[in-house]
């Protein structure tokens, strides 16, 4: 049976999966959602003996129903290969009483690789299926990790170009170097004088500007997105929650039917929404714990039912979570309103106009399994240090936020349910903050010196992704003001 997709704001329906992936954002500014969330049609014990790639097929085929078996298997095979430094692709590490699901073994050492190593294949396959004759321009806003992972996936892919906007002072040194040294004739990186929300809002505005997009179409270009607003990002992310659960079963860490909690360090609400979808598909997940840093707009939302972005934007040591407008929350709002697009549209209009909205009591009840938590930069650093010194396990600053929030959750509730914590980046990506957490002030130290010290201290080898940029030449130096993003895109495309 074919699954169709529709906009969360009601303006587009009967869209196939491949069309939704090609388009990225719906024409009315909404996000694409399937008309129903499919249930896993295979026993978990059977899944438990499968490889990551086989599991990916079993999960993704249920969502991407207009891809043939051959097309989907080919995309999966090309995505999850030796670009990952372990055959497990997403290994689980048990440390200090929790299971860390390591999602950073891909080529850019952050969890964005889990979806962005397959998205280019899904997209070029979709272009073929839908007879697209235009060049696809991927417009991407990044809080630091998406940009690099998307460029790594799309670099030199024929028929595509990719333009990445990142907040100039809002990413780590390694994140910035990774992007600015990116190779590929079709890649372009722009630092904007603003924060991530400015970048994402600017990109969404371009998508919604009919005058601009139709002008581009005349010149032979068509936009798409590599952000998690694209359903082609979310579907591959569901896979690793299914995989983690069945591996726990296989390793007899849990019993058949036993529920687990899942803890996710959250920014744009994409990763945790994928866990929510895994739960809806039938994975025994009890609580979803949504961990925020000091930009705790989501924590406040789950505590009160009011989303209020009118607050100071704080630059923290977990920059990929420095976000006040979490785009994918719109998908949860839509689902919890019983797929009522009108209600969702009304709330999103309030968000756009006043920056604040309140959901109904009924909607709050529908999302009761999601618990918000937040951790300060100090709590984050203390947690990294505690787990490193106590259990010899070193985590990055984003995972540190999740781990700290989980500790607080257990202290408050006494909940004995076993927990999987999404570990979203290698500690090497945030060397400065991680070294400060485990070894005190590192002021004035050079980034690569810190990286070598971290390796000596932790015994973890320096990943290729970091060695690669140690001496790589800078290839991108564009900068612009937020208001000039459209002009920048025109200039890049030669319009
Ligand atoms: C993107 C990112 C996050 C936040 O994920 P969302 O899907 O945006 O909620 C957390 N940690 C790291 C390292 C990231 O790159």
């Amino acid at each position: 049976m074919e699954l169709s997709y529709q906009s969360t704001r009601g303006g587009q329906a009967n869209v196939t999966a491949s069309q939704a992936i090609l388009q990225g954002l719906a024409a009315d500014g909404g996000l694409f959602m399937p008309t129903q969330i499919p249930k896993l049609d295979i026993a978990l014990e059977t899944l438990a003996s499968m490889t990551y790639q086989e599991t990916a097929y079993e999960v993704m085929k249920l969502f991407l129903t207009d891809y043939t078996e051959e097309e989907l298997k080919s995309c999966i095979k090309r995505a999850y290969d030796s670009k990952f430094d372990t055959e497990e692709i997403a290994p689980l590490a048990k440390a200090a009483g929790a299971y860390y699901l390591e999602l950073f073994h891909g080529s850019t050492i952050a969890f964005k690789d889990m979806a962005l190593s397959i998205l280019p294949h899904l997209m070029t396959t979709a272009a073929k299926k839908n007879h697209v004759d235009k060049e696809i321009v991927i417009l991407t806003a990044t809080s630091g990790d998406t940009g690099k992972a998307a460029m790594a996936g799309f670099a030199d892919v024929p028929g595509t170009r990719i333009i990445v906007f990142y907040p100039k002072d809002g990413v780590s040194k390694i994140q910035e170097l990774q992007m600015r040294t990116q190779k590929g004739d079709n890649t372009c990186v722009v630092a904007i004088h603003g924060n991530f929300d400015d970048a994402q809002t600017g990109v969404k505005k371009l998508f919604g500007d009919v005058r601009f997009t139709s002008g581009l179409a005349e010149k032979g270009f068509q936009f798409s997105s590599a952000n998690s607003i694209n359903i082609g990002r979310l579907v591959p992310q569901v896979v690793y929650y299914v995989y983690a659960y069945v591996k726990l079963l296989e390793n007899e860490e849990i019993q058949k039917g036993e529920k687990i909690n899942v803890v996710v360090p959250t920014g744009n609400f994409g990763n945790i929404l994928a866990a929510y979808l895994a739960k809806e598909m039938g994975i025994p997940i009890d609580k979803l714990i949504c961990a925020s840093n000091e930009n705790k707009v989501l924590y406040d939302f789950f505590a009160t039912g009011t989303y209020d972005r009118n607050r100071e934007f704080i630059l923290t040591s977990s920059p990929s979570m420095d976000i006040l407008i979490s785009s994918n929350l719109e998908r949860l709002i839509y689902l919890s309103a019983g797929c009522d697009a009108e209600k969702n549209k009304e709330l999103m209009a309030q968000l756009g106009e006043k920056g604040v909205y309140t959901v109904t009591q009924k909607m709050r009840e529908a999302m009761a399994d999601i618990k918000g938590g937040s951790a300060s930069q100090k709590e984050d650093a203390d947690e990294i240090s505690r787990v490193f010194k106590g259990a010899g396990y070193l985590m990055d600053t984003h995972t540190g936020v999740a781990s700290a929030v989980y500790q607080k959750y257990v202290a408050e509730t006494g909940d004995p349910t076993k927990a999987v914590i999404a570990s979203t980046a290698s500690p090497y990506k945030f060397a400065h903050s991680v070294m400060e957490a485990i070894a005190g002030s590192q002021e004035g130290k050079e980034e690569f010196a810190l990286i070598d010290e971290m390796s000596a201290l932790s015994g973890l080898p320096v990943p290729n992704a970091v060695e690669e940029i140690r001496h790589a030449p800078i290839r991108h130096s564009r900068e612009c003001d937020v208001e000039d993003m459209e002009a920048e895109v025109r200039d890049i495309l030669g319009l």
Side-chain angles (χ1 to χ4, degrees), residues 269-286:
F269 208 74
N271 201 2
I272 193 165
L273 191 75
Y276 181 90
L277 295 178
K279 176 176 161 83
E280 294 293 303
M281 290 183 86
I283 295 297
I285 293 173
D286 188 22

Side-chain angles (χ1 to χ4, degrees), residues 110-112 145 265-271 320-321 398 424-425:
F111 95 92
K112 305 300 196 289
D145 290 325
T266 298
N268 223 3
F269 208 74
N271 201 2
S320 301
M321 294 158 65
H398 302 73
T424 49

Side-chain angles (χ1 to χ4, degrees), residues 177-494:
L177 268 177
Q178 277 188 311
M179 289 190 278
R180 294 189 58 199
T181 56
Q182 176 65 44
K183 295 178 196 155
D185 289 340
N186 64 339
T187 64
C188 203
V189 181
V190 187
I192 66 153
H193 305 145
N195 60 37
F196 171 76
D197 288 331
D198 298 323
Q200 176 159 258
T201 304
V203 164
K204 279 187 164 181
K205 216 184 263 167
L206 287 178
F207 271 101
D209 185 340
V210 179
R211 183 190 49 82
F212 184 56
T213 52
S214 57
L216 275 177
E218 280 169 28
K219 306 276 185 199
F221 296 111
Q222 153 175 345
F223 279 149
S224 190
S225 168
N227 284 106
S228 53
I229 51 177
N230 194 321
I231 193 76
R233 274 278 301 272
L234 285 186
V235 170
Q237 291 179 189
V238 178
V239 174
Y240 47 76
Y241 291 108
V242 173
Y243 183 72
Y245 186 84
V246 298
K247 288 302 155 195
L248 288 174
L249 262 187
E250 191 189 29
N251 300 335
E252 297 177 358
E253 298 286 346
I254 54 173
Q255 309 284 314
K256 187 176 174 207
E258 185 174 339
K259 287 192 172 181
I260 60 166
N261 288 337
V262 171
V263 191
V264 185
T266 298
N268 223 3
F269 208 74
N271 201 2
I272 193 165
L273 191 75
Y276 181 90
L277 295 178
K279 176 176 161 83
E280 294 293 303
M281 290 183 86
I283 295 297
I285 293 173
D286 188 22
K287 299 285 182 297
L288 292 156
I289 300 166
C290 173
S292 301
N293 64 22
E294 285 161 4
N295 295 290
K296 58 188 186 59
V297 62
L298 287 166
Y299 169 77
D300 293 339
F301 171 68
F302 288 111
T304 64
T306 295
Y307 193 93
D308 187 356
R309 60 153 294 203
N310 301 308
R311 59 181 76 204
E312 191 195 343
F313 186 105
I314 302 167
L315 293 174
T316 74
S317 53
S318 47
S320 301
M321 294 158 65
D322 290 346
I323 294 176
L324 292 178
I325 309 173
S326 296
S327 285
N328 276 292
L329 189 66
E330 174 165 355
R331 287 187 163 112
L332 181 74
I333 298 292
Y334 169 79
L335 289 173
S336 64
C339 301
D340 180 345
E342 278 313 305
K343 180 68 190 172
N344 174 61
K345 193 173 158 184
E346 175 196 316
L347 296 177
M348 292 307 125
Q350 290 171 15
L351 179 66
E353 284 153 25
K354 301 195 201 77
V356 50
Y357 62 83
T358 301
V359 297
T360 64
Q361 190 53 35
K362 205 163 158 224
M363 288 169 73
R364 287 192 71 188
E365 283 159 20
M367 50 179 98
D369 290 342
I370 305 179
K371 302 284 170 207
S374 87
S376 67
Q377 299 185 71
K378 164 122 186 12
E379 288 169 325
D380 183 2
D382 288 349
E383 177 68 1
I384 292 171
S385 169
R386 181 187 77 86
V387 175
F388 181 62
K389 286 170 187 156
Y393 185 72
L394 188 60
M395 67 184 98
D396 94 293
T397 46
H398 302 73
T399 312
V401 167
S403 196
V405 164
Y406 175 60
Q407 290 306 322
K408 289 206 260 186
Y409 168 81
V410 171
E412 274 162 31
T413 61
D415 187 348
T417 309
K418 288 173 186 141
V420 166
I421 298 174
S423 178
T424 49
S426 158
Y428 282 102
K429 219 161 177 175
F430 305 94
H432 189 92
S433 303
V434 172
M435 280 298 286
E436 291 208 324
I438 61 173
S441 174
Q442 306 291 327
E443 227 178 275
K445 282 212 189 139
E446 196 267 329
E447 196 70 14
F448 285 95
L450 278 175
I451 279 173
D452 293 334
E453 274 179 49
M454 185 191 282
S455 182
L457 255 179
S458 67
L460 294 171
V462 178
N464 269 344
V466 173
E467 283 306 345
E468 240 170 47
I469 56 171
R470 203 186 273 265
H471 304 293
I474 298 287
R475 296 189 67 245
H476 304 274
S477 298
R478 280 181 183 263
E479 276 185 33
C480 79
D481 288 334
V482 176
E483 309 77 64
D484 296 332
M485 285 170 65
E486 174 180 336
E488 200 66 20
V489 172
R490 283 183 186 284
D491 184 51
I492 291 165
L493 297 178

Side-chain angles (χ1 to χ4, degrees), residues 49-69:
S49 61
M50 290 188 178
T51 62
Y52 190 86
Q53 294 80 354
E54 289 165 343
T55 312
Y57 177 70
E58 292 301 325
V59 173
M60 291 175 64
K61 72 170 192 196
L62 300 172
F63 285 97
L64 309 183
T65 52
D66 72 322
Y67 286 71
T68 65
E69 177 172 351

